[in-house]
Amino acid sequence: MLWLTCKSLPPGALERIADAVADRVRIPWFAGAVKINISLVPPLLLLPVLLHVAALHFLLALLILTSLPALVLWYYYLTHRRKERTVFFLSLGLFSLGYMYYVFLQEVVPRGSVEYSQVVILTCGLVLMLAALSRAKKDPGYLPSPTDNDKASCQLMDLPRKKVTGSSNGLSGVTTLGAASGRASNGEAKGYSRLPAEEPEGMRKDWCTKCQLVRPARAGHCRLCGRCVRRLDHHCVWINSCVGEQNHLAFILALSLFMLTSVYGITLTLGTVCRGWTPLVALFYCPGAYSDYSSALSFTCVWYCAIVTAGMGYILLIQLLNISYNVTEREARLALHDNTGRRLLGGLVIDTGHYNRGFLCNWSHFFSLGSPALQRSAEDIV
């Protein structure tokens, strides 16, 4: 009725309508209707439709393959701004893998150019990548929350009430106990005070007013998960989980296996559809790719895989550079906010200079993440 009378919707009306629709999307089941996460649906429906439409003509492919990443980025910034968790990106990633593998088996393998051993290698790479992804989805290193308010009160009483300079992530800052509960510091969300406390071992700590606990050095609070994580790197929307001390290695392994498997699958497909051309040349020039629908669909899927692989390759590159300088994404972001870090390699990496012990030592430290000895390591001692 409001649309018919040309009146504007009241604030929050669209959000309430979307929540009502999401609550009513259910599938009948034996034990009762099962609620379906609405963000799971778009990738399952839109991706096959868009790719099949793109295979009709190269101009449609150009339009769809340029607009699709833009829509995904727009949705990412929308959810990031609203600080919402969503399984859209995880669903898109997993369904893309499954659908690309299905197209490979249905359209590429029957042409006879791909050997059985190559299919086995591609399948093994996919399985190993999913196994690493499953491990990366597990506990990233959540800090245990206090069981009762008395424990939190005791921790509060133990904190020093004098001003302290410094912070656990190597960035400078001065804060007081009175400002801990109501002021954000160094770019963190409101309510997460950067309040260092000197322990007998000399390790600097932070007090998180949201989780009501003292967190160790380099730990951080994730506003999407609502938990504090040891050596928090970032919250990854593609796995719908944080990347921290316990799963960072598995996260890098999953990214690396994805890159290898994807590049291998793209090479096999281009070698079949665009015979006589090298993969790099065939990606941009493949005569006869749209001569039949099967070749057009395979070539369109190759370009879709190439776009996704390029994006994941950039993420992997940043991660490898950060590991080489022993800096996390969170620490780099805070260093940029406080203007305390050095931009290196054209701004690809931000070196805070506090945990960098050299290339070999940094990687040795990374491979030992999650070990009990690491929690008492001198890396966390300032």
Side-chain angles (χ1 to χ4, degrees), residues 4 12 17-18 21 41 49 60-61 85 130 142 172 179 196 212 239 254 269 274 282 294 311-312 318 335 355 376:
L4 295 177
I17 293 174
V21 171
V41 179
V49 173
L60 289 174
R85 293 192 68 177
L130 291 176
Y142 291 124
S172 60
Q212 293 293 295
I239 65 174
T269 304
C274 310
S294 177
M312 294 302 171
I318 298 300
Y355 299 102
R376 301 184 298 271

Side-chain angles (χ1 to χ4, degrees), residues 104 109 112-122 264 268 272:
F104 179 79
V109 174
S113 298
V114 180
E115 298 179 1
Y116 176 77
S117 59
Q118 294 174 322
V119 177
V120 172
I121 293 174
L122 185 68
Y264 187 64
L268 292 178
T272 301

Side-chain angles (χ1 to χ4, degrees), residues 17-334:
I17 293 174
D19 293 339
V21 171
D23 183 67
R24 285 165 175 76
V25 177
R26 299 173 182 268
I27 295 179
W29 201 247
F30 299 104
V34 179
K35 184 178 179 181
I36 300 299
N37 194 322
I38 194 72
S39 59
L40 286 171
V41 179
L44 304 181
L45 298 179
L46 293 180
L47 184 62
V49 173
L50 291 176
L51 290 178
H52 278 274
V53 172
L56 296 176
H57 196 273
F58 76 95
L59 290 179
L60 289 174
L62 181 63
L63 176 63
I64 291 176
L65 291 177
T66 53
S67 60
L68 190 59
L71 289 175
V72 172
L73 287 175
W74 170 80
Y75 186 71
Y76 167 75
Y77 285 115
L78 179 64
T79 55
H80 183 73
R81 184 181 62 185
R82 297 174 62 179
K83 304 301 178 186
E84 295 179 351
R85 293 192 68 177
T86 175
V87 294
F88 171 83
F89 300 98
L90 178 62
S91 173
L92 177 61
L94 292 177
F95 184 69
S96 296
L97 287 172
Y99 191 71
M100 294 303 104
Y101 186 69
Y102 168 79
V103 171
F104 179 79
L105 295 180
Q106 289 293 113
E107 305 294 341
V108 179
V109 174
R111 292 173 176 263
S113 298
V114 180
E115 298 179 1
Y116 176 77
S117 59
Q118 294 174 322
V119 177
V120 172
I121 293 174
L122 185 68
T123 305
C124 290
L126 183 62
V127 171
L128 291 175
M129 190 275 295
L130 291 176
L133 181 63
S134 176
R135 175 60 188 87
K137 281 281 296 173
K138 294 183 179 179
D139 180 15
Y142 291 124
L143 291 173
S145 300
T147 56
D148 49 39
N149 293 330
D150 292 337
K151 183 176 180 180
S153 301
C154 293
Q155 289 178 332
L156 272 173
M157 294 178 63
D158 291 339
L159 292 174
R161 295 183 178 273
K162 63 180 180 179
K163 291 184 178 181
V164 183
T165 302
S167 63
S168 66
N169 62 357
L171 307 179
S172 60
V174 179
T175 183
T176 62
L177 181 62
S181 60
R183 186 171 70 242
S185 174
N186 285 341
E188 291 190 316
K190 183 177 180 181
Y192 315 133
S193 62
R194 302 188 55 73
L195 184 61
E198 198 71 20
E199 290 220 334
E201 297 88 357
M203 297 174 63
R204 294 185 177 181
K205 304 286 184 178
D206 281 339
W207 171 256
C208 178
T209 60
K210 291 293 183 180
C211 296
Q212 293 293 295
L213 54 80
V214 177
R215 57 193 183 192
R218 308 190 77 178
H221 185 94
C222 176
R223 290 173 288 178
L224 297 179
C225 296
R227 300 281 301 275
C228 283
V229 181
R230 289 184 178 274
R231 197 184 179 275
L232 175 63
D233 189 85
H234 70 287
H235 182 95
C236 181
V237 296
W238 294 105
I239 65 174
N240 194 31
S241 178
C242 289
V243 177
E245 183 177 279
Q246 298 292 332
N247 67 340
H248 201 169
L249 183 59
F251 178 73
I252 295 297
L253 181 60
L255 275 177
S256 302
L257 289 172
F258 170 80
M259 292 294 298
L260 294 174
T261 305
S262 179
V263 171
Y264 187 64
I266 290 174
T267 302
L268 292 178
T269 304
L270 288 176
T272 301
V273 177
C274 310
R275 296 184 180 182
W277 300 91
T278 60
L280 185 59
V281 174
L283 188 61
F284 297 95
Y285 181 74
C286 181
Y290 287 86
S291 59
D292 61 273
Y293 188 77
S294 177
S295 298
L297 179 61
S298 301
F299 189 72
T300 302
C301 290
V302 162
W303 258 106
Y304 175 75
C305 290
I307 293 173
V308 175
T309 302
M312 294 302 171
Y314 177 78
I315 295 175
L316 179 60
L317 175 62
I318 298 300
Q319 286 288 311
L320 295 179
L321 290 175
N322 286 344
I323 294 170
S324 299
Y325 286 89
N326 199 1
V327 62
T328 64
E329 280 291 315
R330 172 177 173 269
E331 292 167 349
R333 184 176 65 251
L334 295 177

